[in-house]
Amino acid sequence: MAKERTLAIIKPDAVGRGLTGEILKRIHEAGFQVIATKSMRLSKAEAEGFYAVHRQRPFFADLTDFMSSGKVVVLALEAENAIAKWRDTMGATDPAQAAPGTIRKEFGVNIQNNCTHGSDAPDTAAFELSFFFPSHDLL
Ligand code: ATP
Ligand code: MG
């Protein structure tokens, strides 16, 4: 199978709790190649743009407040079947429902403060990678 890319974010709750190194270790152990990375703080407007697909959801205001509340680490990851593989590594959205051994199960606080983001399909991965990285960072 061809290599695929996905966009991962270590969210403010995890960065704030000092979990960046632990999550990067799991990314490497799972066999992903890190193509690009950056540490940044999203503005509220940037968080709204990134999560625009959720703008009608009741949790949109809280989610975008949370995502702009502190620094995030953004990563372009590559592997075979990277999109599904990273979502499997993260675990289910709600840490209480996540499988044992996943990042969200072990470190997630609640359904919002769930440590990490991952693209959910090839079209959203393409949008999200280009949202954060210029094409020359993804060569
Ligand atoms: P992500 O897109 O961040 O990888 P996901 O695809 O597992 O997570 P989505 O349904 O896309 O889940 O929701 C995006 C994010 O919104 C979740 O990761 C979580 O932080 C927040 N969220 C989702 N559902 C709820 C909810 N019911 N209440 C509060 N926050 C929620
Ligand atoms: Mg999602």
Side-chain angles (χ1 to χ4, degrees):
M1 187 183 173
K3 297 261 186 185
E4 185 177 65
R5 289 182 179 182
T6 193
L7 191 281
I9 303 177
I10 306 176
K11 295 183 178 183
D13 66 304
V15 175
R17 286 181 287 146
L19 293 169
T20 299
E22 172 65 32
I23 292 171
L24 291 175
K25 179 167 83 84
R26 285 164 177 254
I27 286 169
H28 288 292
E29 285 174 353
F32 293 97
Q33 190 179 348
V34 176
I35 303 298
T37 185
K38 69 167 123 185
S39 170
M40 64 183 296
R41 183 164 180 172
L42 291 168
S43 68
K44 172 82 169 170
E46 287 168 334
E48 289 170 348
F50 179 73
Y51 274 123
V53 66
H54 291 315
R55 62 189 173 280
Q56 307 294 353
R57 308 283 283 276
F59 56 81
F60 182 66
D62 284 346
L63 173 61
T64 53
D65 281 347
F66 163 58
M67 289 299 290
S68 57
S69 68
K71 284 197 119 178
V72 297
V73 176
V74 188
L75 301 127
L77 302 181
E78 184 173 276
E80 287 190 10
N81 209 15
I83 295 169
K85 181 181 169 80
W86 174 234
R87 292 185 69 85
D88 286 348
T89 306
M90 292 195 296
T93 308
D94 183 354
Q97 309 295 326
T102 61
I103 290 168
R104 284 165 164 175
K105 181 67 172 185
E106 293 199 16
F107 305 115
V109 175
N110 55 45
I111 196 169
Q112 176 182 270
N113 295 25
N114 58 4
C115 293
T116 50
H117 163 85
S119 309
D120 60 11
D123 58 335
T124 52
F127 165 75
E128 293 177 0
L129 288 162
S130 68
F131 186 93
F132 284 107
F133 296 111
S135 55
H136 60 259
D137 283 0
L138 298 171
L139 293 175

